[in-house]
Amino acid sequence: MALKMVKGSIDRMFDKNLQDLVRGIRNHKEDEAKYISQCIDEIKQELKQDNIAVKANAVCKLTYLQMLGYDISWAAFNIIEVMSASKFTFKRIGYLAASQCFHEGTDVIMLTTNQIRKDLSSPNQYDTGVALTGLSCFVTPDLARDLANDIMTLMSHTKPYIRKKAVLIMYKVFLKYPESLRPAFPRLKEKLEDPDPGVQSAAVNVICELARRNPKNYLSLAPLFFKLMTSSTNNWVLIKIIKLFGALTPLEPRLGKKLIEPLTNLIHSTSAMSLLYECVNTVIAVLISLSSGMPNHSASIQLCVQKLRILIEDSDQNLKYLGLLAMSKILKTHPKSVQSHKDLILQCLDDKDESIRLRALDLLYGMVSKKNLMEIVKKLMIHVDKAEGTTYRDELLTKIIDICSQSNYQYITNFEWYISILVELTRLEGTRHGHLIAAQMLDVAIRVKAIRKFAVSQMAMLLDNAHLIASNTQRNGICEVLYAAAWICGEFSEHLQEPNQTLEAMLRPKVTTLPGHIQAVYVQNMVKLYASILQQKEEAGEKESSQEITQLMIDRLPQFVQSADLEVQERASCILQLIKYIQKLQAKEVPVAEEVIALFAGELNPVAPKAQKKVPVPEGLDLDTWINEPPSDSESEDEKPKTIFHDEEQRHSRQRQPEMDEEELARRREVRKQEQANNPFYIKSSPSPQKRYQDTPGVEHIPVVQIDLSVPLKVPGMPMSDQYVKLEEERRHKQRLEKDKKKKKQKKEKKGKHHRHNSLHTESDEDIAPAQHVDIITEEMPENALPSDEDDKDPNDPYKALDIDLDKPLADSEKLPVQKHRNTENLKSPDTEAPLVEKKSKKPKKKEKKHKEREREKEKKKDKERKVDEEEKKGEDLDFWLSPAPPPVSTTQTQSEPEVSTAIAEPEDHEEPKKEDREEEEDDEGKKSSKHKKKKHKKEKEEKSKDKKKSKKKHHHSEEEPVESVQNGTLDDEPLPPMSSYHLLAENPYIKMTYDIQGNLQNDSQVTVSVIFENKSTSFVKSMELNVLDSLNAKMIRPEGSSVHDGIPVPFQLPPGISNEAQFVFTLQSIVMAQKLKGTLSFIVKNDEGSTHEKLDFKLHFSCASYLITTPCYSDAFAKLLESGDLHMNSIKVDGISISFQHLLAKICFHHHFSVVERVDSCASMYSRSIQGHHVCLLVKKGENSVSVDGKCNESTLLSNLLDEMKETLSMC
Amino acid sequence: MIKAILIFNNHGKPRLSKFYQRYSEDIQQQIIRETFHLVSKRDENVCNFLEGGLLIGGSDNKLIYRHYATLYFVFCVDSSESELGILDLIQVFVETLDKCFENVCELDLIFHVDKAGLAGAPARAVSAVKNMNLPEIPRNINIGDISIKVPNLPSFK
């Protein structure tokens, strides 16, 4: 064994470490893969050794290889071994590797549960930290369930470092194990008010992330966040909260009204661009939610647009980008205010940065009008020509189409222009969006009847030049347009100038190189074309040429019959047979054109995309019943996929009858008519003359404007749209003149123009009548279609599971699975607990789980009944906070409420600090309430909700731990009077300063002084600067480089009536005595009359209590501390105390930062710790009219000073 | 949320990658390649935001990057993050690396991947970085290699 050890360590000397590996890889540039596989072999050898250091080294190297893309999942077990190493250096490597490669599919992951639990409860905070960080990357539902409770405990850890991580990882736990959300939520909420800013922002982050997915459940937190928003100075936190409000406002418009004011203040005052941007964003969200019925917010919109304009004009590309991004949000609801910045946006189109151009394109969508559409599109077309990257070009293409086709082609006045734009776009090489252009061509040709003639001529040209489009690359997306071209030419063949030429173009051998689905359309439509040619020739009596054309078809069709594409082959052979039959008839000189043309009679109308879905199920039809007996299993295997055809072709498969005689044709026609009459997708043969089809060419009655033939139609690839722009301008000019004439004549009768969307036009737009009197056929819907369609939500959304009502009281069954020993009578400190965990860590048995689940279900039912009640209450609460003028609330009500919820034990110690915070804020607001009625209501509301919360919690805990002597708790007989830790610092007619001092947890010689500045005047207060005369012992921390006489600028300005808080950090050498520091605040008051310099002197009083930090202590640790004997003792006694013991304790806790360790009757032990680590223990006893306090501390001066302060507090009671 | 942190050099060689969503190793490499293609094409003085690529993209996601000397620092984030905030964060991250390695250069990252990875650790935990103050991070890193800091709660005995 010893030999092996020695051998191991000798081997180790020759092992490569990570640096060697990296160096090696760099030296083997040519045969890297070979070298790495060699290294992996070595690593495998190393992993087989017993020495943990060797293993750790090997795993470390694997982590690097994983990053280079090598799979290392085979080493999962070794990684776990390294994770369980006792030395932190190795453990860290293990967790790093695990976080890189473990995932839900890793089977050995279940082995880690106990190891992680052990590390979580490790006395070393870094072990806990590394376990938490690692876990966040590979947590699985099982791990989440088993460890949720441990992590929840860590959320109240003494170290902010751990609390912060624990709070964050809870998010991952919630995702994997949604049941944990409700039990953990109250504690998470507490962390929003954690003294450590890091923990606080972590909690804000988690709640924001949760609330983003299911905002409605978090509406009740709005007041709390609102408070945080107005008080926090941390920009990171502010950004998150402001973003969260952006998500909440759409649900509650009243919230938006409340937000507007503080947000606009922030916009005015902040210097941070990121914060400014987020504020603007949220104001936009608010305005969107308010857009209906709130006309008086144009000022806010103007402000936003102005600020955004500044962003866009900035030279920093990032700000420019964001400005455009935010602008596009405004565009949706307030297009007018954006339109005024058209110049700026068009300018951005020329920016060299692609991202910015893309954003500007988004905005163009809302900028167009009938007037400028052509101009804008022309500009875009120039960009299309210039664009280098295909992605940007494709984006331009889609944008052009989007812009033109938006709201049913509202802005297009000249469709000839649009068609020519589309044709020009086909010259793009390598675009992926050929199908888009094709769809547009089809859509326009079908829906704008007047344009068909022009469209057909253009399409024929395209077909003629098909070789240009489909030339070089077969997989060219643009060839899709041929699909549209062929179809349009076939369907509307009556408009063709030279059908023979087009038919020949379609029969070219080159066509067979096109994709199958396009060929199929070719085949189908050449028959349509053929039919119409046939008819023409027969009418003209040119038998010869009609036979010629039949012969041409028979000659050329076989090339399609040989096609590899099934669809093409089938259609071609059918049609070939049909034409051969026609040829026979022609030989007998029988006129056939009538019958052939009848094959394609009827008009196609567009069908709305959701029409199928909206067909109502007829009464008495049950779609779920089997029509036949369900097939047996063996049969079902033979089933084949049903759709073989390309779905686009299904549209055209309406006629596939091969040879048929006249009678049959007539009969079928009848049948089809009948069918169409019953078919909701077809337009009924209504009395409207427009809708007559069959036999008549159909479009004659539509007034078609004569096409000005000065426009050259022939040359392909020549931009013609420009000419149209000119023509259009001329036309408009003429129109205007005519109109003026008409006006003079005072003729009121208007021509029966088919104006569409008249109501939508702006005034200037209305003057421009479309060139074609177009009749855009709207898409058809089945009759009595069901109106609304439900949002199809993704059922696999992981966040859906977190859609949990958080205001419901916790049910018993919802407790997190807890290790049994945790329920022992006395809570132990974590240190003593750790070994226990190790021994006893069996998972809860499955039976138990099942049972629990059953219980949970039962509970759910009960909850549902309760829920209704609860929701009403919740609604009331929020209403109360939100309503601008709430109904008067009698004070008796607020006072009586808490009594309902009394007489039950306070929960655990963690609740303590939070309670204080609440009281503090209450009192704080109480002070202001005389001035601000609004705030008073808010306060009352908070009180109310607090009481409610309390009662809920108590309700829950009373079930959970029916213990007689309560740990760290107080018996709650009466409501506590409001208390505030903020003391008046100084006051003058302009400004009032209140302050509070808190010890700094991270640094043992620092305290943070939070000062609230309140502007009492009606003028603007700015350039505040706070300065303090440092003493030997206490110094204010100033920014680097400034002298001791410099003041610190306060980072905000105060509009009238506003208050805000700033924090200043002081260092202290000794903390055993109270300190006083003199200081001055200088500021500038600005009002209409001008600005004046003002000064305000103050004295900062550092009491000894402000050096203490409320630290919870377990009773066993407390006992040990007292036993240790190195504490000094002192005591005081105060007479004439009339308040209840509970209030007294609360006062001590609150003002002197103590926590209750244990309380028995009228005797309590309390504990606190100074920032420099002095322990302070108290024993408080209450006699009839007096209170005695015995104190123990390892620093006697501190103790006596503390007790003196306490005496003062108590004597005021 | 931050979805991924990628660092690669001017030739697309990955120097540090961290994904907070599970992807197989192949896909990870593909994502890095794709991202590199997107990012490397861009000029120096254009904006630092990109609509995501196809793999890690999705409508909600954005790539936010900065280019320092030979290295690209790319963060892939969803819409809950503030764009400018992430840019600051990258700056903080790089400054941190600079403090750790004293004048950080690409070689530092190559040879001290493990340490750099840990420097990113605070960034890892769901954008916890929000409050990270610079002097703290180097301390966290050193504890691994030099000494394990004992929690500063004085023992009760």
Side-chain angles (χ1 to χ4, degrees):
Chain A
M1 186 66 202
L3 187 70
K4 212 175 172 186
M5 291 266 287
V6 173
K7 197 169 160 271
S9 52
I10 290 173
D11 279 350
R12 227 189 123 193
M13 285 170 61
F14 300 105
D15 284 344
K16 287 194 190 79
N17 63 14
L18 179 62
Q19 269 77 359
D20 297 330
L21 176 78
V22 175
R23 206 166 285 134
I25 291 175
R26 286 171 72 80
N27 289 338
H28 291 77
K29 282 215 168 94
E30 320 78 46
D31 52 347
E32 198 183 287
K34 195 179 150 205
Y35 178 76
I36 288 178
S37 70
Q38 197 186 324
C39 288
I40 289 181
D41 286 340
E42 283 172 25
I43 289 169
K44 281 184 179 159
Q45 288 305 315
E46 287 167 30
L47 286 175
K48 281 181 191 150
Q49 292 188 34
D50 287 334
N51 191 328
I52 190 74
V54 178
K55 269 187 191 156
N57 182 42
V59 168
C60 187
K61 286 189 279 183
L62 281 179
T63 320
Y64 182 74
L65 293 178
Q66 194 271 347
M67 201 192 73
L68 294 183
Y70 292 85
D71 179 28
I72 61 161
S73 54
W74 49 268
F77 189 76
N78 304 100
I79 292 174
I80 295 183
E81 282 181 310
V82 177
M83 274 161 74
S84 53
S86 53
K87 210 171 157 194
F88 177 74
T89 4
F90 300 148
K91 192 185 284 298
R92 197 191 58 171
I93 292 171
Y95 273 104
L96 179 63
S99 70
Q100 288 281 77
C101 79
F102 281 9
H103 53 97
E104 277 186 32
T106 310
D107 43 3
V108 289
I109 209 164
M110 62 192 193
L111 298 177
T112 59
T113 317
N114 291 331
Q115 179 56 42
I116 295 172
R117 179 171 287 140
K118 197 174 125 192
D119 287 336
L120 287 183
S121 49
S122 154
N124 179 349
Q125 61 166 329
Y126 297 109
D127 281 351
T128 318
V130 81
L132 283 173
T133 332
L135 188 61
S136 72
C137 291
F138 57 80
V139 63
T140 64
D142 283 337
L143 280 178
R145 192 194 55 233
D146 296 338
L147 295 173
N149 199 57
D150 301 67
I151 300 170
M152 212 167 104
T153 324
L154 288 178
M155 279 164 74
S156 323
H157 198 272
T158 48
K159 290 269 180 296
Y161 172 74
I162 300 295
R163 283 208 301 274
K164 184 168 66 190
K165 281 178 186 264
V167 167
L168 286 171
I169 199 188
M170 271 327 264
Y171 175 67
K172 291 274 182 175
V173 173
F174 295 150
L175 279 185
K176 300 287 176 186
Y177 179 56
E179 287 89 337
S180 60
L181 178 57
R182 277 170 43 70
F185 195 70
R187 194 168 291 183
L188 185 60
K189 219 159 113 185
E190 277 168 31
K191 295 296 150 209
L192 284 177
E193 292 173 303
D194 196 279
D196 183 78
V199 183
Q200 195 186 34
S201 87
V204 169
N205 264 313
V206 170
I207 293 189
C208 288
E209 202 60 47
L210 289 170
R212 207 163 66 92
R213 308 293 179 170
N214 299 299
K216 67 175 188 310
N217 298 334
Y218 298 86
L219 262 182
S220 57
L221 286 182
L224 185 60
F225 275 116
F226 189 82
K227 202 193 121 233
L228 277 177
M229 184 178 86
T230 43
S231 61
S232 176
T233 48
N234 180 346
N235 279 354
W236 294 105
V237 172
L238 278 176
I239 287 174
K240 278 280 165 187
I241 293 175
I242 288 168
K243 268 191 171 269
L244 172 70
F245 275 129
L248 290 182
T249 39
L251 300 169
E252 181 54 88
R254 285 174 300 171
L255 178 63
K257 280 181 212 165
K258 228 178 150 64
L259 283 172
I260 286 259
E261 200 198 321
L263 283 179
T264 30
N265 282 341
L266 267 176
I267 291 178
H268 280 303
S269 63
T270 186
S271 57
M273 272 301 181
S274 47
L275 186 59
L276 171 79
Y277 172 68
E278 295 306 337
C279 285
V280 169
N281 249 336
T282 301
V283 171
I284 294 168
V286 168
L287 292 171
I288 289 171
S289 73
L290 293 179
S291 56
S292 55
M294 287 293 289
N296 54 345
H297 279 300
S298 54
S300 311
I301 268 289
Q302 277 314 315
L303 175 68
C304 287
V305 176
Q306 264 170 28
K307 288 280 172 185
L308 289 179
R309 190 177 170 107
I310 294 172
L311 286 184
I312 297 173
E313 280 171 339
D314 201 289
S315 60
D316 184 346
Q317 298 283 327
N318 292 329
L319 296 181
K320 197 173 260 192
Y321 175 89
L322 293 175
L324 290 170
L325 197 66
M327 205 66 124
S328 66
K329 285 180 193 155
I330 303 186
L331 187 68
K332 280 169 207 148
T333 48
H334 300 81
K336 283 232 175 91
S337 35
V338 182
Q339 264 158 15
S340 53
H341 300 284
K342 202 181 117 199
D343 55 319
L344 191 63
I345 288 154
L346 286 177
Q347 204 179 309
C348 287
L349 272 185
D350 298 322
D351 201 284
K352 57 189 180 306
D353 188 345
E354 191 178 295
S355 305
I356 286 174
R357 287 197 306 253
L358 285 175
R359 290 284 77 79
L361 273 182
D362 284 346
L363 280 169
L364 273 186
Y365 187 81
M367 308 250 115
V368 290
S369 64
K370 287 192 170 184
K371 259 187 183 168
N372 61 15
L373 176 74
M374 287 183 160
E375 176 199 338
I376 288 181
V377 172
K378 186 180 162 192
K379 202 161 177 187
L380 291 181
M381 291 300 282
I382 295 171
H383 278 282
V384 171
D385 286 336
K386 280 196 293 189
E388 293 132 25
T390 45
T391 31
Y392 179 58
R393 216 163 44 187
D394 281 358
E395 193 62 30
L396 274 168
L397 192 155
T398 43
K399 274 284 134 42
I400 292 176
I401 289 178
D402 276 357
I403 289 173
C404 293
S405 65
Q406 66 174 311
S407 40
N408 219 2
Y409 306 101
Q410 188 191 338
Y411 299 114
I412 296 186
T413 50
N414 187 332
F415 277 94
E416 285 174 19
W417 165 80
Y418 186 46
I419 294 271
S420 49
I421 285 283
L422 288 176
V423 172
E424 268 175 51
L425 285 175
T426 60
R427 286 181 295 122
L428 283 186
E429 264 175 43
T431 178
R432 281 183 291 122
H433 292 303
H435 59 97
L436 267 183
I437 306 176
Q440 280 295 299
M441 288 173 169
L442 287 172
D443 200 41
V444 173
I446 294 170
R447 292 171 63 186
V448 187
K449 286 184 177 168
I451 201 65
R452 283 180 190 167
K453 193 175 165 101
F454 180 74
V456 166
S457 68
Q458 292 288 304
M459 294 304 120
M461 198 180 71
L462 271 184
L463 285 178
D464 223 19
N465 298 292
H467 57 280
L468 289 178
I469 291 169
S471 59
N472 31 17
T473 41
Q474 261 222 10
R475 292 272 151 254
N476 196 339
I478 204 69
C479 63
E480 289 288 330
V481 296
L482 291 177
Y483 175 100
W487 191 85
I488 292 171
C489 284
E491 186 66 24
F492 308 117
S493 48
E494 65 271 15
H495 299 295
L496 268 179
Q497 302 284 335
E498 292 175 73
N500 282 16
Q501 199 189 332
T502 311
L503 184 62
E504 252 175 82
M506 285 170 85
L507 283 166
R508 277 182 205 143
K510 188 98 185 172
V511 172
T512 49
T513 57
L514 289 172
H517 66 281
I518 298 180
Q519 281 187 57
V521 173
Y522 261 73
V523 172
Q524 192 69 35
N525 284 287
M526 57 182 78
V527 194
K528 292 184 198 167
L529 209 53
Y530 166 75
S532 76
I533 296 173
L534 211 60
Q535 198 189 23
Q536 270 178 25
K537 304 283 178 193
E538 254 175 42
E539 271 169 17
E542 298 169 28
K543 279 178 196 163
E544 290 268 310
S545 51
S546 69
Q547 274 169 1
E548 259 171 43
I549 203 92
T550 314
Q551 191 55 46
L552 178 76
M553 288 290 276
I554 291 174
D555 289 346
R556 296 284 181 83
L557 269 175
Q559 62 180 339
F560 294 105
V561 177
Q562 290 156 10
S563 168
D565 191 281
L566 198 63
E567 180 75 15
V568 180
Q569 201 186 63
E570 192 185 4
R571 287 188 191 200
S573 51
C574 275
I575 286 161
L576 187 61
Q577 286 309 312
L578 176 70
I579 290 179
K580 278 180 181 164
Y581 180 68
I582 293 170
Q583 197 181 28
K584 269 184 215 165
L585 290 175
Q586 275 180 332
K588 291 176 199 161
E589 305 210 350
V590 181
V592 281
E594 278 291 297
E595 281 81 44
V596 180
I597 205 90
L599 278 173
F600 307 107
E603 193 178 357
L604 276 185
N605 283 313
V607 175
K610 281 178 184 167
Q612 176 82 57
K613 221 165 115 189
K614 305 237 167 171
V615 181
V617 179
E619 251 179 77
L621 175 64
D622 183 4
L623 291 172
D624 292 329
T625 52
W626 288 96
I627 297 169
N628 298 311
E629 281 305 295
S632 65
D633 288 350
S634 60
E635 275 175 328
S636 66
E637 279 168 19
D638 302 353
E639 269 183 60
K640 278 181 193 169
K642 281 163 200 161
T643 47
I644 321 165
F645 303 113
H646 203 278
D647 45 6
E648 277 168 310
E649 281 144 19
Q650 284 169 345
R651 275 194 264 168
H652 310 288
S653 54
R654 69 197 157 108
Q655 64 293 81
R656 286 235 315 274
Q657 304 102 323
E659 307 162 69
M660 54 184 76
D661 57 348
E662 239 174 299
E663 261 183 58
E664 175 72 3
L665 274 176
R667 197 181 58 77
R668 291 207 178 175
R669 202 156 52 227
E670 267 318 299
V671 171
R672 191 165 57 233
K673 263 191 192 172
Q674 196 64 42
E675 246 172 43
Q676 286 174 0
N678 296 331
N679 191 334
F681 296 111
Y682 273 90
I683 283 189
K684 301 280 164 352
S685 44
S686 55
S688 133
Q690 288 183 335
K691 298 285 165 73
R692 220 188 311 133
Y693 41 88
Q694 298 282 31
D695 305 332
T696 47
V699 278
E700 296 162 339
H701 55 279
I702 302 172
V704 179
V705 170
Q706 264 207 329
I707 296 170
D708 195 332
L709 285 174
S710 63
V711 181
L713 292 179
K714 289 153 207 165
V715 199
M718 272 283 288
M720 303 174 301
S721 49
D722 293 357
Q723 277 100 328
Y724 279 106
V725 178
K726 255 185 220 163
L727 280 178
E728 179 70 12
E729 268 162 21
E730 281 166 26
R731 191 183 67 81
R732 283 183 194 175
H733 185 66
K734 259 189 233 164
Q735 218 169 33
R736 226 173 293 140
L737 290 179
E738 270 174 41
K739 239 187 184 169
D740 289 347
K741 270 186 211 163
K742 268 186 212 164
K743 269 184 189 167
K744 279 173 196 166
K745 287 178 188 171
Q746 293 288 324
K747 270 190 182 177
K748 278 195 174 179
E749 39 177 285
K750 272 191 177 178
K751 271 188 182 179
K753 285 177 192 168
H754 296 269
H755 267 299
R756 56 215 150 86
H757 304 294
N758 262 349
S759 53
L760 290 175
H761 297 169
T762 55
E763 277 184 341
S764 59
D765 275 356
E766 240 171 327
D767 296 339
I768 307 162
Q772 285 86 8
H773 291 207
V774 282
D775 166 32
I776 295 191
I777 306 160
T778 46
E779 291 161 334
E780 291 178 5
M781 281 295 233
E783 304 150 61
N784 51 27
L786 305 167
S788 71
D789 48 337
E790 52 306 321
D791 291 354
D792 347 20
K793 273 189 182 169
D794 181 11
N796 297 325
D797 184 11
Y799 304 104
K800 215 179 170 186
L802 287 179
D803 190 358
I804 296 168
D805 183 7
L806 296 163
D807 294 305
K808 217 166 44 165
L810 271 181
D812 238 7
S813 54
E814 278 182 306
K815 276 187 277 181
L816 288 174
V818 187
Q819 241 49 15
K820 272 205 175 139
H821 62 268
R822 282 179 197 276
N823 282 343
T824 46
E825 279 164 34
N826 267 326
L827 280 168
K828 297 267 167 69
S829 54
D831 299 34
T832 47
E833 207 170 17
L836 269 174
V837 187
E838 240 178 306
K839 282 179 211 162
K840 198 179 181 182
S841 49
K842 282 175 197 162
K843 285 186 195 169
K845 282 176 187 168
K846 278 202 173 169
K847 264 188 190 174
E848 268 179 31
K849 257 189 251 166
K850 270 189 187 168
H851 180 65
K852 268 189 186 166
E853 262 165 12
R854 226 174 293 144
E855 269 190 322
R856 206 172 294 161
E857 269 167 34
K858 273 187 209 163
E859 199 61 39
K860 267 183 196 162
K861 276 182 202 161
K862 277 188 214 161
D863 278 348
K864 265 182 196 165
E865 292 158 20
R866 230 180 291 159
K867 208 174 166 182
V868 185
D869 267 14
E870 285 293 331
E871 252 165 30
E872 272 169 21
K873 273 191 197 168
K874 180 176 127 197
E876 274 169 25
D877 275 3
L878 201 65
D879 284 352
F880 200 87
W881 181 69
L882 289 167
S883 55
V889 178
S890 61
T891 36
T892 48
Q893 195 194 337
T894 36
Q895 274 177 0
S896 63
E897 258 199 36
E899 273 163 28
V900 185
S901 59
T902 50
I904 313 171
E906 262 296 289
E908 301 155 48
D909 49 329
H910 323 293
E911 240 87 90
E912 206 69 38
K914 194 199 167 192
K915 196 176 74 193
E916 291 161 17
D917 283 356
R918 278 208 214 108
E919 281 149 5
E920 153 196 329
E921 103 211 1
E922 259 164 45
D923 192 55
D924 202 36
E925 267 153 42
K927 276 183 195 163
K928 295 172 198 159
S929 64
S930 52
K931 284 169 202 161
H932 305 286
K933 259 198 168 177
K934 241 188 194 173
K935 279 193 178 164
K936 191 175 180 185
H937 292 307
K938 182 173 147 195
K939 170 212 150 193
E940 279 168 352
K941 191 258 134 194
E942 263 171 32
E943 213 168 356
K944 220 174 134 190
S945 71
K946 170 198 121 193
D947 289 328
K948 198 173 285 167
K949 252 181 269 163
K950 254 192 200 168
S951 68
K952 278 177 204 163
K953 259 181 220 152
K954 272 167 214 152
H955 177 63
H956 165 51
H957 283 280
S958 64
E959 285 174 53
E960 195 179 40
E961 30 181 7
V963 197
E964 286 145 304
S965 130
V966 186
Q967 294 253 331
N968 288 343
T970 48
L971 287 166
D972 203 359
D973 336 282
E974 288 166 58
L976 291 167
M979 289 186 276
S980 169
S981 65
Y982 280 83
H983 300 286
L984 183 68
L985 184 59
E987 192 173 7
N988 71 3
Y990 299 107
I991 268 199
K992 182 179 167 188
M993 292 157 75
T994 48
Y995 77 109
D996 176 41
I997 304 175
Q998 293 280 345
N1000 193 330
L1001 283 164
Q1002 278 125 22
N1003 197 318
D1004 53 10
S1005 60
Q1006 283 187 0
V1007 291
T1008 310
V1009 179
S1010 318
V1011 185
I1012 298 180
F1013 300 88
E1014 188 188 343
N1015 186 350
K1016 291 167 36 183
S1017 66
T1018 50
S1019 351
F1020 203 81
V1021 173
K1022 59 178 201 176
S1023 309
M1024 287 188 280
E1025 213 174 76
L1026 186 122
N1027 199 6
V1028 174
L1029 265 176
D1030 291 349
S1031 72
L1032 278 177
N1033 192 21
K1035 290 184 172 62
M1036 180 156 76
I1037 297 189
R1038 296 174 166 86
E1040 263 176 69
S1042 49
S1043 84
V1044 283
H1045 305 295
D1046 290 344
I1048 293 188
V1050 179
F1052 47 79
Q1053 305 177 332
L1054 286 179
I1058 299 293
S1059 62
N1060 204 342
E1061 181 171 328
Q1063 293 188 327
F1064 305 91
V1065 182
F1066 288 78
T1067 48
L1068 296 155
Q1069 295 291 318
S1070 148
I1071 59 157
V1072 295
M1073 288 211 285
Q1075 308 263 340
K1076 271 185 185 167
L1077 288 183
K1078 271 188 189 173
T1080 27
L1081 178 81
S1082 62
F1083 54 92
I1084 297 174
V1085 179
K1086 197 181 167 190
N1087 51 22
D1088 299 338
E1089 292 135 35
S1091 47
T1092 47
H1093 258 282
E1094 294 286 341
K1095 269 191 179 176
L1096 177 59
D1097 292 329
F1098 57 82
K1099 257 186 197 171
L1100 259 180
H1101 180 74
F1102 293 88
S1103 64
C1104 283
S1106 58
Y1107 307 138
L1108 295 185
I1109 295 169
T1110 315
T1111 319
C1113 181
Y1114 295 95
S1115 56
D1116 51 345
F1118 189 76
K1120 265 186 204 158
L1121 189 65
L1122 288 177
E1123 279 164 22
S1124 66
D1126 38 290
L1127 300 182
H1128 303 272
M1129 166 122 181
N1130 204 340
S1131 60
I1132 50 160
K1133 193 171 181 185
V1134 186
D1135 289 325
I1137 304 281
S1138 53
I1139 61 166
S1140 74
F1141 188 54
Q1142 187 236 333
H1143 281 184
L1144 191 108
L1145 288 184
K1147 272 203 175 225
I1148 297 176
C1149 286
F1150 186 66
H1151 291 296
H1152 298 275
H1153 305 157
F1154 276 88
S1155 67
V1156 178
V1157 180
E1158 209 165 354
R1159 177 185 165 186
V1160 184
D1161 297 331
S1162 58
C1163 191
S1165 54
M1166 304 178 94
Y1167 173 79
S1168 185
R1169 204 163 64 82
S1170 78
I1171 50 173
Q1172 292 182 354
H1174 306 111
H1175 303 282
V1176 189
C1177 307
L1178 292 185
L1179 182 66
V1180 186
K1181 283 185 206 157
K1182 189 174 189 304
E1184 285 219 343
N1185 255 331
S1186 65
V1187 172
S1188 68
V1189 181
D1190 294 323
K1192 276 192 174 184
C1193 177
N1194 37 11
E1195 172 57 62
S1196 57
T1197 337
L1198 177 67
L1199 181 65
S1200 65
N1201 283 326
L1202 270 174
L1203 288 179
D1204 286 347
E1205 283 171 18
M1206 209 170 289
K1207 201 169 182 174
E1208 206 175 318
T1209 324
L1210 293 177
S1211 58
M1212 288 196 294
C1213 299
Chain B
M1 251 202 343
I2 297 173
K3 304 277 169 144
I5 299 173
L6 310 173
I7 302 176
F8 43 76
N9 70 1
N10 287 350
H11 307 288
K13 276 247 174 222
R15 290 303 176 215
L16 187 74
S17 67
K18 182 69 212 163
F19 291 85
Y20 301 109
Q21 253 172 1
R22 172 69 199 165
Y23 293 103
S24 75
E25 277 77 10
D26 289 344
I27 306 278
Q28 289 187 2
Q29 294 304 311
Q30 273 182 41
I31 291 174
I32 294 176
R33 271 197 298 275
E34 192 196 27
T35 315
F36 169 69
H37 271 290
L38 284 173
V39 168
S40 60
K41 277 191 307 207
R42 298 173 63 85
D43 289 340
E44 273 306 297
N45 46 4
V46 298
C47 76
N48 299 359
F49 312 118
L50 264 180
E51 252 81 316
L54 296 174
L55 288 166
I56 203 172
S59 55
D60 204 28
N61 291 359
K62 262 206 188 81
L63 295 175
I64 297 173
Y65 75 96
R66 265 180 192 274
H67 190 193
Y68 292 94
T70 58
L71 288 175
Y72 284 100
F73 292 74
V74 186
F75 279 48
C76 180
V77 301
D78 68 12
S79 64
S80 71
E81 297 296 335
S82 151
E83 290 87 349
L84 294 173
I86 295 292
L87 276 182
D88 286 352
L89 177 60
I90 298 177
Q91 181 70 32
V92 171
F93 181 49
V94 175
E95 279 174 25
T96 310
L97 290 176
D98 204 44
K99 281 211 170 129
C100 295
F101 299 120
E102 281 161 23
N103 256 328
V104 69
C105 68
E106 194 185 340
L107 281 176
D108 285 323
L109 280 192
I110 299 171
F111 285 105
H112 303 280
V113 171
D114 46 345
K115 281 190 210 166
L118 278 162
R124 268 179 218 165
V126 207
S127 53
V129 231
K130 309 286 136 136
N131 60 305
M132 108 174 155
N133 29 14
L134 281 178
E136 248 187 85
I137 295 142
R139 204 172 69 201
N140 284 354
I141 291 171
N142 290 343
I143 46 144
D145 303 324
I146 300 159
S147 66
I148 296 173
K149 230 184 158 185
V150 187
N152 51 359
L153 223 177
S155 61
F156 272 129
K157 274 164 198 169

